[in-house]
Amino acid sequence: MYSETPDIVSFKSPIKLEVLTEAQLKTLKDGTLSLLQDVGIHFPSRKALSTFADHDAQVDWETEIVRISPDLVEKAMSTAPRSFVLGGREERFDLVLDGSRTYLATDGCGVRVLDLETRTERPSSKADVAQMAKVCDALPLVSFFWPLVSAQDHGITAPLHECHAGLTNTLKHVRGGTTVFPQLAKFIVEMATVVAGGESERRQRPPICANICTIAPLAHDVNGIETALIYAEAGIPTSFMAMPTMGSTAPATPMGAIVAGDAEVVSAMVLMQLTYPGAPVFHSNLISLMDPRTGGYISDTSAPLVVMTAQMAHAWNVPSLGGGSVSSDAADIGWHSGSKSGLGAAMVPLAGGEVCGYLGMLDGSMLLAPEQVILDHEVCLGAYNMFREYEFDLSDLALDVIKEVGPGSHFLRQKHTKKHIRDFRLSPILRQKDVDGSDIDPREAAIREFKRIDESHQPEPLADEVLVELDHILASADREAEKLG
């Protein structure tokens, strides 16, 4: 038996923030073009260097620095699609990245879990990825499943097992690809093909997307960029994510960090377009700050940056992975995490990013407290209700009921009340009472809600033959990994 996965709920706000003017966006883009032409980007990949050389970019084979002219950048980026589909198991879970709405994603790549039962920290595992996929399958605001933690029990094939855990435990789109040894990337493509039902189906409605991080400042990783080329050939959408840290790996100014990160992202997108014109790519630039007191990492930077980076993505005419973020640097659930979740949730509908939110993580996205995804979902639901468009007709005014009750009475006996009082969603977190009538702390209520979903919700499984084929693919990948070890 399985449970019905609820339809996803996306953000479609009538209000959008535009922090940067067109003139300012042009200044920033010109800065990016200047860096790409005058300074260049480190591409430690013979494949990448050969492609750039074939298109008359300036390639220094010794230093592996590529300098790209503005004309070549603009020519290449003109073939990048402005919109494309991230496929779900069923079409009702498809995400259309065209700027008309925003989809919430979970956060990814953590390495520690606050165990649900023992409440002690431990390393993350594939079982954690599977459990979170199943719970997020039941949360309607979560449209895009990014494995929140890594499958550390699977060594260098961890990303493949994370992809498998996602595809087999949710009907929603899965961030299933990331940097792996290029020899292993083909197995991720095979899994996507099997789940989609064939190559043409995979290209039309890819069930996974990929994320490749750049290296700040102004560099790429050889495995990352060559893996991205494999994904691009297969038509798997790939976001390139810059993570410049102001003060250490980026200038200590927001605009400098934006331009440096943008140059990294754009250079990778240019390579994809030169190699496979029309390959679906999207833009991500997550800017952080070096703590000047400790040298530590601060992701909680000023809110306007998330709007600016989404605007930059759209200035390049590609979708954005970015915008409001509810994940925080807080080490535990409390005032710090709550304030960041609240502000981040409010920015989600305003920032204009196609995919954002990053639910469920603490401590700079390193720690998963399972109940946090429930708390974040609740906060984001509040933002959704605050900013969504409202439509009503004359019946919603209930004028006939008001006239019947008249002045000085009440509406308790009205059939209208009995019918419509059930229209209101009551939070599973707030105003909860225990069996003895005492108030339940919201964190405890979130733990109980997480456990309830985990125990009661079971997404529709993939067909048996698909599950068997996925197991064969993983087994082949594990054998290949032994040769690389």
Side-chain angles (χ1 to χ4, degrees):
M1 295 295 293
Y2 61 85
S3 311
E4 181 76 9
T5 299
D7 290 339
I8 60 175
V9 176
S10 59
F11 283 71
K12 191 173 183 180
S13 170
I15 307 170
K16 286 286 185 292
L17 290 180
E18 292 188 354
V19 176
L20 298 171
T21 66
E22 289 298 319
Q24 289 171 328
L25 283 170
K26 183 179 185 306
T27 297
L28 289 170
K29 283 189 67 175
D30 287 346
T32 295
L33 293 170
S34 175
L35 290 177
L36 293 176
Q37 177 172 248
D38 300 334
V39 181
I41 305 291
H42 183 220
F43 277 93
S45 161
R46 289 295 172 182
K47 291 182 180 180
L49 296 176
S50 296
T51 297
F52 281 117
D54 290 344
H55 288 84
D56 298 323
Q58 184 180 338
V59 176
D60 187 321
W61 292 88
E62 183 176 349
T63 64
E64 300 175 324
I65 299 294
V66 176
R67 293 177 175 84
I68 316 169
S69 70
D71 286 346
L72 183 56
V73 173
E74 297 288 1
K75 178 182 177 181
M77 290 302 295
S78 70
T79 67
R82 173 60 185 87
S83 67
F84 46 84
V85 171
L86 304 180
R89 182 96 63 83
E90 301 172 10
E91 287 190 22
R92 66 189 177 105
F93 299 112
D94 286 358
L95 314 181
V96 181
L97 306 190
D98 61 1
S100 66
R101 62 192 67 238
T102 293
Y103 302 100
L104 282 188
T106 46
D107 203 352
C109 303
V111 295
R112 295 157 26 236
V113 174
L114 186 61
D115 190 273
L116 194 63
E117 301 300 333
T118 67
R119 310 312 289 167
T120 58
E121 286 189 23
R122 57 170 174 77
S124 57
S125 68
K126 181 177 181 178
D128 297 312
V129 180
Q131 182 184 48
M132 295 307 298
K134 185 176 76 163
V135 170
C136 289
D137 187 80
L139 301 176
L141 282 181
V142 176
S143 307
F144 176 112
F145 179 72
W146 186 353
L148 290 91
V149 289
S150 59
Q152 295 185 75
D153 48 343
H154 285 280
I156 64 173
T157 58
L160 287 82
H161 284 271
E162 293 153 19
C163 180
H164 176 265
L167 289 171
T168 55
N169 285 281
T170 180
L171 278 65
K172 298 174 181 179
H173 185 78
V174 174
R175 166 140 287 185
T178 185
T179 297
V180 293
F181 285 102
Q183 298 92 323
L184 298 179
K186 64 181 180 181
F187 298 108
I188 290 178
V189 175
E190 287 179 24
M191 284 195 283
T193 306
V194 168
V195 171
E199 181 179 351
S200 62
E201 291 85 355
R202 185 199 68 221
R203 291 184 179 277
Q204 292 174 8
R205 298 178 52 248
I208 68 168
C209 67
N211 185 66
I212 304 296
C213 286
T214 64
I215 298 178
L218 305 179
H220 293 286
D221 168 73
V222 59
N223 289 332
I225 210 67
E226 293 190 357
T227 297
L229 287 167
I230 293 171
Y231 296 146
E233 182 182 20
I236 291 175
T238 300
S239 59
F240 293 94
M241 180 179 287
M243 300 184 72
T245 300
M246 292 181 287
S248 58
T249 61
T253 61
M255 297 302 107
I258 285 178
V259 170
D262 191 54
E264 296 164 19
V265 172
V266 171
S267 67
M269 292 194 293
V270 166
L271 174 63
M272 299 304 114
Q273 298 309 310
L274 293 177
T275 312
Y276 302 105
V281 292
F282 46 127
H283 182 294
S284 185
N285 192 1
L286 306 184
I287 298 169
S288 59
L289 173 68
M290 180 191 72
D291 190 331
R293 299 162 297 190
T294 66
Y297 175 79
I298 301 176
S299 67
D300 301 345
T301 53
S302 58
L305 280 175
V306 301
V307 180
M308 294 177 189
T309 53
Q311 285 188 266
M312 283 297 291
H314 297 154
W316 289 109
N317 205 36
V318 293
S320 169
L321 175 74
S325 170
V326 302
S327 289
S328 77
D329 296 333
D332 199 2
I333 296 172
W335 177 87
H336 183 181
S337 64
S339 63
K340 180 61 168 62
S341 293
L343 179 59
M347 293 304 298
V348 165
L350 301 177
E354 278 81 356
V355 179
C356 62
Y358 313 137
L359 282 70
M361 297 296 288
L362 298 166
D363 198 18
S365 298
M366 290 292 100
L367 174 65
L368 168 65
E371 66 269 28
Q372 183 67 34
V373 77
I374 303 296
L375 295 167
D376 284 344
H377 188 268
E378 195 68 20
V379 172
C380 288
L381 184 60
Y384 170 82
N385 286 326
M386 179 174 291
F387 289 101
R388 70 186 178 96
E389 293 180 324
Y390 276 93
E391 296 181 358
F392 63 91
D393 57 30
L394 191 60
S395 66
D396 292 315
L397 274 63
L399 293 177
D400 55 337
V401 182
I402 298 171
K403 291 175 181 177
E404 180 178 341
V405 170
S409 187
H410 60 77
F411 292 80
L412 294 174
R413 290 194 297 265
Q414 295 296 313
K415 291 182 180 179
H416 182 277
T417 300
K418 182 179 180 180
K419 176 182 178 182
H420 289 285
I421 198 68
R422 292 174 171 80
D423 295 344
F424 296 91
R425 175 188 179 272
L426 297 181
S427 169
I429 307 303
L430 303 176
R431 295 177 293 276
Q432 296 298 305
K433 297 289 185 181
D434 217 332
V435 291
D436 62 358
S438 61
D439 292 332
I440 301 176
D441 178 79
R443 181 172 186 175
E444 176 60 29
I447 292 173
R448 295 185 188 188
E449 178 66 5
F450 185 95
K451 289 181 177 180
R452 182 194 67 79
I453 294 173
D454 187 36
E455 292 168 0
S456 64
H457 182 65
Q458 182 56 58
E460 182 178 4
L462 289 161
D464 289 344
E465 60 270 22
V466 174
L467 292 171
V468 169
E469 184 62 25
L470 290 178
D471 287 341
H472 287 161
I473 293 170
L474 280 180
S476 298
D478 286 333
R479 288 193 295 270
E480 183 70 25
E482 290 177 3
K483 302 175 187 177
L484 301 171

